[in-house]
Amino acid sequence: MNSTKNDNNSLPMGEMSGGQRGNLYNYILGIADNSLILAQRLGELCGHGPNLETDIALTNISLDLLGQTRSYYQYAAKVEGAGKSEDDIAFLRLEREYKNILLVEQPNTHFGYVMARQFLFDIYHLMMMKELQKSKDETLRAVANKGIKEVSYHKRFSSDWIKRLGDGTEESHGKMQEAIDDLWRYTNEMFQMTAADTEMAEAGIGVDVSKFKEAYYKEVSEVLKEATLTVPESKYFAKGGKEGIHTEHMGYILADLQYMQKTFPNMTW
Amino acid sequence: MSEKEIKNLEEIFEARIARDEKIEPKDWMPEKYRKTHIRQMSQHAHSEIVGMLPEGNWITRAPSLRRKAALLAKVQDEAGHGLYLYSACETLGITRDELYEQLHTGKAKYSSIFNYPTVTWADMGAIGWLVDGAAIINQVPLCNTSFGPYARAMVRVCKEESFHQRQGFEIMLTLSKGSEEQIAMAQDALNRWWWPSLMMLGPTDAESVHTEQSMKWKLKRKSNDELRQQFIDQTVPQADLLGLTVPDPDLKFNEATGHYDFGEIDWDEFWQVVKGHGPCNKERMNARVNAWDNGEWVRDAAMAHAEKKEKKKLKKVS
């Protein structure tokens, strides 16, 4: 069981009300769960990539996300102050308590989906991380400062692949377009603010993600156009992940993720 | 080239090896040396790549975030080893595609140990401890082998393998200090992986076809039986430390020889797995072939895109 010491919070936790702590806790989980579930999805691919170089790169991204996840959960455990570990938070919640967006739980249907999911998330993730670097919360700022280089690389990697596959062969173009079209409906959820998001943004701790929605779609569209892909026009979007209402895939992800902790409770590994 | 000239070159070549000089890809070398190295290095590379699968099987189910990250990193290291071993192999004038083709058609072999299933988390410990342990015994001497690219690759591979082995042992140690279920899980893993690990060091000397020539070229420094004895002598005290029982009723320290005596290895099982009829041979090969086939459109696209970019660049210049 690991824990990180983070005693320099700008808003001393002792001075936070129970409600504020709860919101900070929920806010951290909202960010962390995205990284956990995406890392888990990428972890499924390890050893099955289209070539060795890509396999290694995807595993790298998974490892980066997992590293960020751990820092967030360690901090969340401290904020909650209930004596939990990062693993308790990662593994021992009910599906309805996971707050990740629906996009990251979508399956590795084919490599086009893997890259589309990554790309649509990375553009958002980098924007969010840049803002998080300005957080009044020292721990979140530190995680963002450390993660920013990683996420910049993820974005470059996935954007390059979108261009390669979009503007590659006829087959790859079709597959890439299919994936973008299918996953498009999960993009809008990123910019929805939960109660915890709003309060933390107002306190200068969290990021107001709603304000870079326009910039997000602009940047995504530019890459898609360069990749000779069509920007989907659909106005119908899915939501629910942030409130813990997930797609049907989520239960199976958790069945794997939680298998050991649920089968053998209260043990050290 | 006349026969005499070739003979002369061969003599110079053998003398260089005897002087412990490294042979580099552009140096003259006998055809047999080239072929033997392609065979052994590609077999090693394939083992790394196929070896990703049994451990990859537990990435999504690792019991803690720390273990998940460590396992991911370990499997990624194996991909890295595969990558530089394939690259070293390519310096001998064969392409990676050709090497994959040999793997996928069953022409090339890989280490049989990876045809066993990983059925519990403890297998992640046992593989690191035993399988990587046996691999290190096989590989450390290769850091001084005569072919330069292989020797250099092995220096790095061995460093990482040694880290993996300690990591595996640490998983076993944690289990052996844990609950009753965890101890049972660790013992069960040792029971299942012990004998296949001994088999990993190859057939007995009497049956080993490549030993003599390989010794001369420093592709091998000790015989399979010597290596196996070294592995057993090194590993049994570690099992004692874990409080686990090695599943061999004949295992006994021999005061006279200073080594452990051990029971008969089931060579029928060994050959059955080598010949493709182990518990997971089919699954492993299917996984590799599927990854390759499903990735074809991706690789084609990357190539097509690179060509388009190149053309655009040329157009700009002219």
Side-chain angles (χ1 to χ4, degrees):
Chain A
M1 307 281 165
N2 293 276
S3 67
T4 308
K5 282 189 180 155
N6 289 302
D7 298 324
N8 302 320
N9 200 19
S10 66
L11 187 59
M13 274 191 287
E15 290 173 24
M16 278 186 168
S17 68
Q20 276 176 317
R21 269 183 183 241
N23 277 329
L24 177 56
Y25 176 78
N26 283 327
Y27 178 71
I28 301 167
L29 293 198
I31 309 176
D33 289 351
N34 284 339
S35 294
L36 173 71
I37 300 302
L38 188 52
Q40 179 78 358
R41 274 296 191 210
L42 292 170
E44 292 171 16
L45 291 167
C46 186
H48 305 276
N51 62 20
L52 273 179
E53 288 82 351
T54 323
D55 206 304
I56 291 171
L58 288 176
T59 306
N60 251 339
I61 296 176
S62 181
L63 276 167
D64 287 343
L65 293 170
L66 210 50
Q68 293 163 16
T69 305
R70 294 185 64 190
S71 305
Y72 289 130
Y73 286 154
Q74 284 161 13
Y75 183 41
K78 194 178 158 66
V79 169
E80 193 194 29
K84 281 188 195 154
S85 70
E86 59 175 47
D87 289 331
D88 293 335
I89 298 176
F91 297 98
L92 295 174
R93 278 179 288 154
L94 299 172
E95 180 175 330
R96 288 284 276 107
E97 294 165 337
Y98 284 84
K99 301 176 191 307
N100 57 282
I101 53 174
L102 303 177
L103 175 70
V104 294
E105 67 201 46
Q106 297 313 304
N108 303 317
T109 309
H110 60 56
F111 190 74
Y113 279 82
V114 175
M115 280 304 130
R117 183 184 63 205
Q118 195 63 43
F119 165 70
L120 293 171
F121 181 70
D122 290 342
I123 301 271
Y124 159 83
H125 198 194
L126 185 61
M127 288 179 171
M128 192 279 286
M129 280 289 217
K130 276 186 183 161
E131 286 295 310
L132 198 61
Q133 282 185 305
K134 300 175 202 154
S135 169
K136 282 187 186 163
D137 184 297
E138 194 162 337
T139 308
L140 291 179
R141 215 162 57 223
V143 179
N145 283 335
K146 184 171 176 288
I148 200 94
K149 266 193 215 146
E150 298 166 348
V151 178
S152 306
Y153 163 76
H154 303 171
K155 184 186 123 178
R156 203 170 66 227
F157 178 81
S158 60
S159 303
D160 283 351
W161 270 107
I162 296 295
K163 292 175 205 164
R164 247 177 238 134
L165 297 175
D167 191 18
T169 61
E170 207 181 309
E171 184 186 8
S172 72
H173 179 88
K175 284 194 142 106
M176 200 64 250
Q177 187 69 56
E178 174 202 9
I180 290 285
D181 288 349
D182 261 10
L183 295 178
W184 194 253
R185 65 194 164 122
Y186 299 114
T187 51
N188 188 56
E189 189 192 1
M190 297 170 188
F191 309 103
Q192 291 178 351
M193 300 283 283
T194 63
D197 291 347
T198 306
E199 185 174 324
M200 286 302 111
E202 278 167 8
I205 292 172
V207 176
D208 182 355
V209 287
S210 66
K211 74 179 183 194
F212 48 71
K213 182 171 169 177
E214 204 177 311
Y216 171 86
Y217 282 111
K218 187 168 175 276
E219 192 172 343
V220 166
S221 301
E222 279 165 10
V223 176
L224 292 182
K225 278 177 196 153
E226 199 186 327
T228 72
L229 294 163
T230 308
V231 180
E233 283 176 6
S234 169
K235 297 276 181 283
Y236 298 102
F237 293 102
K239 61 178 181 184
K242 286 185 175 184
E243 307 293 342
I245 304 166
H246 294 278
T247 57
E248 289 180 350
H249 304 295
M250 188 67 176
Y252 295 93
I253 294 177
L254 294 182
D256 272 359
L257 182 77
Q258 301 181 332
Y259 167 62
M260 289 295 290
Q261 290 274 347
K262 291 258 167 107
T263 312
F264 305 100
N266 304 316
M267 294 184 197
T268 303
W269 300 96
Chain B
M1 222 182 290
S2 73
E3 256 182 53
K4 197 181 158 193
E5 280 170 321
I6 291 179
K7 195 149 192 322
N8 192 25
L9 282 170
E10 274 175 4
E11 273 167 22
I12 296 171
F13 178 84
E14 298 295 347
R16 286 185 64 194
I17 290 184
R19 285 197 301 272
D20 263 339
E21 276 178 35
K22 290 279 174 270
I23 306 300
E24 295 302 332
K26 285 184 177 164
D27 296 348
W28 185 88
M29 63 184 76
E31 191 53 18
K32 197 173 170 207
Y33 181 91
R34 196 180 73 87
K35 281 200 171 138
T36 302
H37 276 78
I38 290 177
R39 183 179 57 79
Q40 179 161 336
M41 285 157 64
S42 66
Q43 198 168 309
H44 189 167
H46 298 327
S47 301
E48 297 282 358
I49 300 313
V50 178
M52 294 170 74
L53 301 169
E55 289 177 288
N57 185 36
W58 279 87
I59 288 171
T60 60
R61 291 177 295 166
S64 70
L65 293 178
R66 182 171 81 92
R67 292 293 185 202
K68 190 189 287 288
L71 184 59
L72 260 170
K74 187 195 169 185
V75 180
Q76 187 190 39
D77 281 349
E78 284 157 10
H81 297 171
L83 194 58
Y84 32 89
L85 285 164
Y86 282 127
S87 305
C89 220
E90 283 175 294
T91 66
L92 289 171
I94 187 162
T95 65
R96 221 202 286 180
D97 283 8
E98 286 173 291
L99 294 169
Y100 280 147
E101 175 75 15
Q102 291 178 354
L103 174 68
H104 297 160
T105 55
K107 195 182 159 211
K109 297 268 177 257
Y110 57 88
S111 183
S112 264
I113 193 94
F114 302 120
N115 292 315
Y116 288 86
T118 51
V119 295
T120 72
W121 168 253
D123 291 8
M124 298 304 100
I127 288 182
W129 172 38
L130 300 173
V131 176
D132 293 332
I136 293 167
I137 297 232
N138 253 333
Q139 291 167 5
V140 164
L142 292 172
C143 297
N144 293 313
T145 192
S146 61
F147 186 53
Y150 195 25
R152 289 188 289 272
M154 291 317 296
V155 171
R156 183 160 169 194
V157 169
C158 282
K159 269 188 201 156
E160 292 179 354
E161 290 294 354
S162 146
F163 177 72
H164 296 163
Q165 200 218 355
R166 285 202 298 275
Q167 198 170 277
F169 185 77
E170 200 257 322
I171 291 177
M172 295 302 274
L173 194 61
T174 308
L175 293 174
S176 71
K177 286 182 186 161
S179 68
E180 232 171 81
E181 292 111 308
Q182 286 173 305
I183 295 168
M185 195 190 279
Q187 180 63 55
D188 172 60
L190 173 57
N191 293 349
R192 285 179 290 108
W193 291 96
W194 175 256
W195 292 105
S197 299
L198 297 191
M199 294 175 197
M200 250 184 98
L201 295 147
T204 51
D205 295 350
E207 304 241 359
S208 180
V209 284
H210 301 296
T211 295
E212 203 188 327
Q213 182 68 80
S214 296
M215 288 270 195
K216 209 162 116 192
W217 289 335
K218 297 172 182 170
L219 256 176
K220 217 168 186 167
R221 302 228 135 162
K222 285 180 183 171
S223 75
N224 293 349
D225 288 336
E226 284 174 296
L227 293 170
R228 191 164 11 250
Q229 187 66 57
Q230 188 186 333
F231 174 70
I232 293 169
D233 290 346
Q234 163 189 312
T235 310
V236 174
Q238 294 170 354
D240 292 342
L241 199 74
L242 294 171
L244 300 176
T245 310
V246 174
D248 177 358
D250 297 324
L251 188 79
K252 198 171 173 251
F253 189 71
N254 184 327
E255 295 285 349
T257 60
H259 296 293
Y260 282 89
D261 294 335
F262 55 97
E264 190 66 32
I265 292 173
D266 182 355
W267 291 110
D268 288 342
E269 178 183 319
F270 174 76
W271 290 113
Q272 180 179 336
V273 184
V274 169
K275 286 176 183 159
H277 308 288
C280 297
N281 295 60
K282 201 167 161 15
E283 287 79 357
R284 301 295 182 237
M285 211 31 62
N286 284 348
R288 283 314 316 157
V289 171
N290 285 342
W292 188 245
D293 289 352
N294 294 337
E296 191 178 4
W297 69 272
V298 177
R299 297 189 303 274
D300 288 349
M303 197 65 87
H305 182 75
E307 278 166 17
K308 279 185 194 175
K309 256 180 124 174
E310 191 61 28
K311 266 188 201 158
K312 270 186 203 159
K313 219 163 89 187
L314 287 176
K315 225 177 178 179
K316 262 190 194 164
V317 176
S318 63

